[in-house]
Amino acid sequence: MRQRPIAVTVFGILNMGYALWKFLGVLIGAVFARMNIGANPAMAALKNNPTYLLWNHISMAVAAVFGIMLIASGIGMLLLQNWARILAMVYSVLEMIFVVASAIFTQLVIAPAMASQFHGSSAAFVEMSVKVGFVFGLLFSLAYPVLLLIFMTRPSVAEAFRSQPSPIENPIA
């Protein structure tokens, strides 16, 4: 039996946890999309923005697909299946691309739409909040896929996933 490195166990479990987090996010996003926003002008501006609505639908679909990828790779990693390691690396690269695209979308569409609903110091506060959220959100959102990619490409981890020949039985025993 091959020895599973601790990093593989940790990331296999984390992949499944992050998948559940993504599915929860899709569920919460679907609930919020159907809520009455009342007197919140910033949310009303977003809800009436067709570009935002399209991006929101795309984001929820991508999150669901990424969640499925994470569940599959997490289970496969715990079983030391090499396809699962490769799937985890593919997820990492795609997630990094999507995080950067989401950050750009936030700066180009969401921030101006929200700031346009406020005036004076309130608009400046909204713009600053979005910029601070942008930086922290980008760093936080990139942390897991970057770490996953680094660990899945380590030689010791890659070696653990390689097929090894069956041990030769000792005929004397």
Side-chain angles (χ1 to χ4, degrees):
M1 177 128 190
R2 293 180 283 178
Q3 181 68 23
R4 183 174 55 229
I6 291 176
V8 173
T9 303
V10 168
F11 279 105
I13 293 168
L14 282 174
N15 275 6
M16 292 185 283
Y18 271 99
L20 295 175
W21 185 251
K22 286 194 178 292
F23 293 141
L24 180 64
V26 169
L27 179 65
I28 290 171
V31 168
F32 280 135
R34 287 164 179 69
M35 286 179 66
N36 184 3
I37 51 171
N40 187 332
M43 292 307 295
L46 287 177
K47 205 159 190 178
N48 293 325
N49 185 324
T51 307
Y52 170 78
L53 294 175
L54 176 63
W55 183 258
N56 198 29
H57 291 316
I58 290 169
S59 294
M60 287 200 297
V62 167
V65 169
F66 283 178
I68 293 167
M69 290 173 74
L70 285 167
I71 289 277
S73 68
I75 292 169
M77 285 167 56
L78 293 176
L79 298 173
L80 287 178
Q81 299 296 310
N82 195 46
W83 60 262
R85 183 179 75 89
I86 294 167
L87 183 61
M89 291 186 296
V90 168
Y91 157 77
S92 294
V93 171
L94 293 176
E95 177 74 7
M96 287 185 265
I97 292 168
F98 193 73
V99 163
V100 171
S102 295
I104 292 168
F105 179 81
T106 298
Q107 289 300 306
L108 296 178
V109 176
I110 295 176
M114 291 180 73
S116 71
Q117 300 303 310
F118 298 95
H119 305 290
S121 61
S122 295
F125 178 75
V126 168
E127 285 184 45
M128 182 56 70
S129 298
V130 170
K131 288 181 191 312
V132 169
F134 169 80
V135 171
F136 284 107
L138 192 61
L139 292 175
F140 181 76
S141 298
L142 287 174
Y144 185 71
V146 167
L147 289 173
L148 181 62
L149 186 61
I150 289 169
F151 276 91
M152 291 300 110
T153 56
R154 290 177 54 188
S156 61
V157 170
E159 181 63 33
F161 282 96
R162 286 199 180 85
S163 298
Q164 295 179 2
S166 307
I168 300 174
E169 293 182 29
N170 186 350
I172 301 173

